[in-house]
Amino acid sequence: MITERRKAKHGEPFRNFTADFVNDHFLGKLPSAEEQMNIPELHTPAAQRMQELFGCPEARRHLTSYGWMEGMPVVFAHACERVEDIMGLVSVHGRAVLLVRIDGQTNDLQLWHISVPSPIFTRVEPVSPESTIQDLCVRHPKSRLTPFRVAFWSHSAAIHEIPLHPYTN
């Protein structure tokens, strides 16, 4: 499943969409490649790169070794978006997600595994309301299962980076 917040034309607010790269699409069955040509949400460079990544068996094995599972929701976020906004999208799924952080200037991708909030993780202070996804990711470089929390979560969740597979470079 994939969730992306995109700006509409002429500076309108972000909008969300959800799709599953396995069998379903947010409008029903996942369309064929020809039919996808008419779905603008799946034309973003980041979504196309993720489709290529999910289509490569080596890359899928690599992602699996870092906690990704078939059908795991994917949430796209620009580096400048607020952590609380993105974690609201993460919360909707009710399970661990693959966060794809997009660098606004270079369009580079970073992949992060975010667990569900759980009492098994050390309860930490919530991130500040102004914190961006970039701030969160910079705080947790190359760490394994580092706890973090947003104000509306009772428990902490864990985040860890998934190094990009050589296929994505």
Side-chain angles (χ1 to χ4, degrees), residues 5 81-91 126-133 136 148-153:
R5 292 168 38 93
E81 292 188 77
R82 290 178 346 123
V83 173
E84 286 188 350
D85 294 341
I86 299 305
M87 292 312 131
L89 288 173
V90 168
S91 296
V127 297
S128 72
E130 307 84 35
S131 292
T132 65
I133 289 296
L136 179 67
F148 76 100
R149 186 168 71 87
V150 290
F152 54 86
W153 286 348

Side-chain angles (χ1 to χ4, degrees), residues 1-2 18-20 22 69-75 89-98 113-117 153:
M1 183 166 292
I2 182 169
T18 302
D20 187 337
V22 181
M69 296 180 296
E70 180 85 28
M72 177 181 269
V74 176
V75 176
L89 288 173
V90 168
S91 296
V92 167
H93 295 290
R95 58 186 177 145
V97 302
L98 179 66
H113 182 277
I114 299 178
S115 74
V116 294
W153 286 348

Side-chain angles (χ1 to χ4, degrees), residues 13 27-28 33 55 57 74-75 78 86 89 92 106 109 141 150 155 164-165 169:
L27 297 174
V74 176
V75 176
H78 290 277
I86 299 305
L89 288 173
V92 167
T106 64
L109 302 181
V150 290
H155 304 288
L164 285 179
H165 186 268
N169 293 334

Side-chain angles (χ1 to χ4, degrees), residues 1-2 18-31:
M1 183 166 292
I2 182 169
T18 302
D20 187 337
F21 282 122
V22 181
N23 293 317
D24 295 324
H25 183 266
F26 64 100
L27 297 174
K29 184 179 180 310
L30 186 64

Side-chain angles (χ1 to χ4, degrees), residues 91-158:
S91 296
V92 167
H93 295 290
R95 58 186 177 145
V97 302
L98 179 66
L99 174 71
V100 179
R101 192 195 102 178
I102 305 163
D103 185 313
Q105 278 106 21
T106 64
N107 281 334
D108 287 340
L109 302 181
Q110 281 189 348
L111 305 179
W112 297 81
H113 182 277
I114 299 178
S115 74
V116 294
S118 172
I120 65 168
F121 299 118
T122 305
R123 190 168 195 262
V124 295
E125 290 297 315
V127 297
S128 72
E130 307 84 35
S131 292
T132 65
I133 289 296
Q134 178 159 338
D135 297 335
L136 179 67
C137 294
V138 167
R139 270 186 24 200
H140 304 292
K142 310 269 188 263
S143 296
R144 300 290 276 170
L145 296 175
T146 303
F148 76 100
R149 186 168 71 87
V150 290
F152 54 86
W153 286 348
S154 301
H155 304 288
S156 297

